[in-house]
Amino acid sequence: MFSRRIADIQPPPRCAPFPAFNKMFNGCPLRDSPSFSELMTETALYLIPCTLGDTAPELVLPAANRDIILSLRHFIVEDVRSARRFLKAVDRGIDIDTLTFCDMGKHADRSQFASYLEPLRRNEAVGVISEAGCPAVADPGADIVAIAHREGMRVVPLVGPSSILLAVMASGFSGQSFAFHGYLPIEPAARQRRLRQLETRSREERQTQLFIETPYRNRKLFDDLLRACSPRTRLCVAAGLTTEREWVRSMSLGEWRKCGLPELSRVPAIFAIYAA
Amino acid sequence: MFSRRIADIQPPPRCAPFPAFNKMFNGCPLRDSPSFSELMTETALYLIPCTLGDTAPELVLPAANRDIILSLRHFIVEDVRSARRFLKAVDRGIDIDTLTFCDMGKHADRSQFASYLEPLRRNEAVGVISEAGCPAVADPGADIVAIAHREGMRVVPLVGPSSILLAVMASGFSGQSFAFHGYLPIEPAARQRRLRQLETRSREERQTQLFIETPYRNRKLFDDLLRACSPRTRLCVAAGLTTEREWVRSMSLGEWRKCGLPELSRVPAIFAIYAA
């Protein structure tokens, strides 16, 4: 058993409930590995995307996610209020008071994170929900997932909206190679240096470069892009993805300079650049 | 009108059907921009994810995608047969013979791509479908999207499964910064050099590095990873995502060496590394 192997280098494994899943990691070929039905009877840590903004869940989430969500009793969440609101949107009839919520938000005590997986150790599934979009992608969740892997637990990511991925699709830039960098430095000189670095990397590696900013600074980031990068470098702005305010536009910085940026100070946006 | 502005530097614009969408790009603030209902009456180029493998569409696609798909008459597809199969899976009753399909696969004549958007120019929506997952992400589609942007057409990416994004979520590695590199070089020395480069970049930039391989070479890539990278570097293998064969496992290369890789020669897999 894999779970015994890693005992050499890890604290005593507590992953007893995952025998079928862990059977695969014994060097055995897949023909000896567990069947789907065997696997499915095992619990998992489910990574549950939620909506971006007030969009109705059925517009952006597969129907199957709802069934999984309604089967869960334990959630690890970035923000309890927004998670409750999301669960209510998924099913008005959900009995929130029977559910447990553990906080993984920025003020949470990270030393408690391992204890959040206690239900899994007794074979009860757990869901992870961040404030918007996919947990562990530009949002908390990765620490929880890492602990689950360390204990040999099964991790199942569900399909849902990711503004990053949607922006890559809709940019018209390379989707064969792309990098997401999160937030750029705020200090103007450092930010412009970073933008020039990303432009150079895009040119040299033919790689689409994506980044974000808090909405009230979107205009500032746009201005810095016009200052720092070549007018021939292409910029895609993907705003309010999956919401009523969605629009996506790709053009050269020279064209952006002429056309201007629509008001974006309250709209979440993703920026992508591609330098030819 | 934006469409008139770019006339200075582009061939004569043919984006007459998009007045509300283009109204935003006139430097006007969003309060003057078109309402949702105005925008929604305008056509768009829809980027339509399909399933990864034989999974039922309702497991991985929002119900809303089906309504959009059934409203379309024109499709630009990587492979006509697989696109028809996907459309039949979405709705058995679909009348395939009333639909038009344009080929954007690797043997297609790229000089024809601009003509594929002809329906949009007369205000009829068009859908883009690749062989698996999200169009324009590790799959064709970006060229078509780029043409649409050049003509000021509205581009709408729909939500669906992306093995890359699901792998980031499920890896337990950083989702604050990650890069997807597509296929690595095949030649052994060049491949190992590339793997060491990615390991260094991951360490220096705290960036998750993702790449893929054709399934029959998965074992070879795994062996190259063991050879090229530090045993402390973490590797996530995400196999058969969203299918019955799905499993995701993250551990150090030292642990992977002990446990071995399950048989993967016919299972699509994503590899991610993270070096501490």
Side-chain angles (χ1 to χ4, degrees):
Chain A
M1 285 285 297
F2 162 74
S3 55
R4 275 186 222 124
R5 298 269 189 107
I6 62 164
D8 308 335
I9 45 166
Q10 291 285 336
R14 292 168 294 186
C15 51
F18 305 93
F21 175 64
N22 283 288
K23 203 165 99 183
M24 281 194 293
F25 299 92
N26 206 7
C28 59
L30 198 63
R31 62 179 180 275
D32 293 339
S33 75
S35 69
F36 181 62
S37 55
E38 259 186 291
L39 263 178
M40 289 303 107
T41 59
E42 295 200 342
T43 53
L45 182 70
Y46 287 98
L47 308 178
I48 302 172
C50 62
T51 53
L52 306 170
D54 287 335
T55 311
E58 59 274 22
L59 294 181
V60 291
L61 296 173
N65 290 23
R66 184 175 175 277
D67 302 334
I68 290 170
I69 290 167
L70 295 180
S71 75
L72 301 177
R73 290 282 148 263
H74 308 282
F75 294 92
I76 301 169
V77 302
E78 182 178 4
D79 180 77
V80 176
R81 279 182 56 189
S82 76
R84 286 166 170 255
R85 205 181 317 124
F86 168 66
L87 294 173
K88 278 281 183 196
V90 167
D91 186 343
R92 275 173 168 282
I94 200 166
D95 186 359
I96 296 279
D97 297 333
T98 63
L99 308 175
T100 69
F101 294 91
C102 293
D103 176 13
M104 64 169 187
K106 56 174 175 271
H107 303 296
D109 176 0
R110 298 159 62 98
S111 72
Q112 295 300 303
F113 282 8
S115 71
Y116 292 177
L117 298 176
E118 206 48 65
L120 271 164
R121 297 185 192 105
R122 46 172 205 264
N123 218 359
E124 291 177 50
V126 174
V128 178
I129 303 176
S130 70
E131 273 204 70
C134 296
V137 179
D139 254 348
D143 293 338
I144 304 288
V145 174
I147 295 167
H149 281 301
R150 221 147 56 211
E151 298 197 23
M153 293 164 171
R154 197 162 69 99
V155 174
V156 176
L158 301 185
V159 173
S162 157
S163 53
I164 301 163
L165 203 277
L166 294 167
V168 175
M169 289 168 72
S171 66
F173 303 162
S174 175
Q176 312 304 315
S177 178
F178 59 89
F180 171 70
H181 300 277
Y183 294 92
L184 305 186
I186 293 174
E187 196 272 310
R191 171 132 82 168
Q192 291 189 32
R193 207 160 44 236
R194 183 75 174 129
L195 286 170
R196 274 188 294 266
Q197 268 173 11
L198 297 183
E199 185 183 40
T200 302
R201 181 170 291 178
S202 173
R203 188 180 300 116
E204 288 176 355
E205 305 190 11
R206 304 174 71 174
Q207 188 177 66
T208 302
Q209 308 292 328
L210 301 113
F211 38 89
I212 47 176
E213 187 47 283
T214 42
Y216 76 91
R217 286 206 204 96
N218 278 338
R219 160 81 47 190
K220 181 95 193 52
L221 177 55
F222 179 77
D223 292 340
D224 283 335
L225 275 158
L226 291 181
R227 255 189 292 272
C229 299
S230 160
R232 283 178 306 140
T233 290
R234 285 193 282 163
L235 167 68
C236 175
V237 183
L241 285 164
T242 76
T243 73
E244 295 199 353
R245 290 182 147 192
E246 171 178 305
W247 58 262
V248 183
R249 180 62 112 182
S250 282
M251 46 189 167
S252 73
L253 282 168
E255 291 166 298
W256 276 110
R257 183 187 298 275
K258 286 191 223 167
C259 299
L261 187 74
E263 167 64 23
L264 273 185
S265 61
R266 288 184 200 154
V267 188
I270 301 264
F271 294 78
I273 59 169
Y274 192 79
Chain B
M1 286 284 298
F2 162 74
S3 55
R4 273 185 225 129
R5 298 271 189 104
I6 62 165
D8 307 335
I9 44 166
Q10 290 284 337
R14 290 170 293 188
C15 52
F18 305 93
F21 175 64
N22 283 289
K23 201 165 101 183
M24 281 194 293
F25 298 93
N26 206 7
C28 61
L30 198 62
R31 63 179 178 274
D32 293 338
S33 73
S35 70
F36 181 60
S37 54
E38 260 187 289
L39 263 179
M40 288 304 107
T41 59
E42 295 199 343
T43 51
L45 182 70
Y46 288 98
L47 309 178
I48 303 172
C50 61
T51 53
L52 307 169
D54 287 334
T55 311
E58 59 273 22
L59 294 180
V60 290
L61 297 173
N65 290 20
R66 183 175 175 277
D67 301 335
I68 290 170
I69 290 167
L70 295 180
S71 76
L72 301 177
R73 290 283 149 261
H74 307 283
F75 294 92
I76 301 170
V77 302
E78 182 178 3
D79 180 78
V80 176
R81 279 183 55 188
S82 76
R84 285 165 171 257
R85 205 181 317 123
F86 169 66
L87 294 173
K88 278 279 181 199
V90 167
D91 185 343
R92 275 173 168 283
I94 200 167
D95 186 0
I96 296 278
D97 298 333
T98 63
L99 309 175
T100 69
F101 294 92
C102 293
D103 176 13
M104 63 169 186
K106 55 175 175 271
H107 303 297
D109 176 1
R110 297 159 63 100
S111 72
Q112 296 300 304
F113 283 9
S115 71
Y116 292 178
L117 298 176
E118 208 46 67
L120 271 164
R121 296 184 193 107
R122 47 173 204 263
N123 218 359
E124 291 178 49
V126 173
V128 179
I129 303 175
S130 71
E131 274 205 69
C134 295
V137 180
D139 254 348
D143 293 337
I144 304 288
V145 174
I147 296 168
H149 281 300
R150 223 149 51 212
E151 300 197 21
M153 293 164 172
R154 197 162 68 100
V155 174
V156 176
L158 301 185
V159 173
S162 158
S163 52
I164 300 164
L165 203 275
L166 293 167
V168 174
M169 289 168 73
S171 67
F173 303 161
S174 174
Q176 312 303 314
S177 178
F178 59 88
F180 171 70
H181 300 278
Y183 295 91
L184 305 186
I186 293 174
E187 195 271 311
R191 172 132 82 168
Q192 290 187 33
R193 206 160 44 235
R194 182 76 173 130
L195 286 170
R196 274 188 294 266
Q197 269 174 10
L198 297 182
E199 185 184 39
T200 302
R201 181 170 293 178
S202 173
R203 187 180 299 115
E204 288 176 357
E205 305 190 11
R206 304 174 73 174
Q207 187 177 67
T208 302
Q209 308 292 328
L210 301 112
F211 37 89
I212 46 176
E213 187 46 285
T214 42
Y216 75 91
R217 286 206 203 95
N218 278 337
R219 160 81 48 191
K220 180 92 194 51
L221 177 56
F222 179 78
D223 292 342
D224 283 336
L225 275 158
L226 291 181
R227 255 190 292 272
C229 299
S230 158
R232 283 177 307 140
T233 289
R234 285 193 281 162
L235 167 68
C236 176
V237 183
L241 285 164
T242 75
T243 72
E244 295 198 353
R245 291 183 146 191
E246 172 178 305
W247 58 262
V248 183
R249 180 62 113 184
S250 282
M251 45 191 168
S252 73
L253 283 168
E255 291 165 299
W256 275 111
R257 185 186 296 278
K258 287 191 221 165
C259 299
L261 187 74
E263 167 64 23
L264 272 186
S265 60
R266 287 184 202 156
V267 188
I270 301 263
F271 294 77
I273 59 170
Y274 193 79

